[in-house]
Amino acid sequence: QVDLVESGGGSVQAGGSLKLSCAAAGFVFSDCDMAWYRQVPGKERELVSSIQRDGTPKYLDSVKDRFTISRDNLKNTLYLQLNNLTTEDTAVYRCAACLVARTSRYAWWGQGIQVTVSS
């Protein structure tokens, strides 16, 4: 059984920081590309950042230089450091695991965690 459990969300003022974690179980974490998505009600889900098996990161333009994705293959945990947060970053953040072969879709998803940034 695959489990992805996010933690570290919460409420913060603009300019503040949070660190999200996604604890993974039930698959070979080191073999999988991982990602963080976010979604606001009424808007499409947005790919915030991804990290390949070899540690290569990618970022949404609006979060570059503010967010940092990382992974610990020994702890089977994915992280997202969120710095200099703005109200536009308010969303439910979900981690995603394992790209389905020859697609841009991820096989498994966490439940999501709320990040709220107030002005």
Side-chain angles (χ1 to χ4, degrees):
Q1 178 183 347
V2 172
D3 275 324
L4 296 170
V5 180
E6 299 98 339
S7 61
S11 297
V12 64
Q13 288 195 323
S17 298
L18 287 172
K19 186 172 185 177
L20 305 183
S21 299
C22 173
F27 63 98
V28 182
F29 182 82
S30 58
D31 283 352
C32 281
D33 295 343
M34 302 290 294
W36 287 99
Y37 282 76
R38 67 186 180 188
Q39 189 162 20
V40 176
K43 293 188 178 181
E44 286 194 6
R45 184 171 61 197
E46 185 173 56
L47 175 58
V48 176
S49 181
S50 63
I51 186 167
Q52 296 179 8
R53 288 172 288 177
D54 65 1
T56 302
K58 293 182 180 178
Y59 297 97
L60 182 68
D61 282 347
S62 62
V63 308
K64 279 181 183 176
D65 301 323
R66 299 190 299 121
F67 292 6
T68 303
I69 193 169
S70 61
R71 62 191 298 160
D72 186 333
N73 289 342
L74 294 179
K75 295 183 178 180
N76 290 348
T77 303
L78 176 71
Y79 302 100
L80 187 67
Q81 177 69 46
L82 294 71
N83 295 330
N84 195 19
L85 285 158
T86 74
T87 56
E88 296 297 310
D89 297 316
T90 295
V92 173
Y93 286 71
R94 298 178 72 185
C95 67
C98 304
L99 278 171
V100 177
R102 296 179 294 279
T103 76
S104 60
R105 293 181 290 109
Y106 286 85
W108 297 303
W109 294 82
Q111 290 296 309
I113 193 161
Q114 179 70 45
V115 170
T116 302
V117 185
S118 58
S119 59

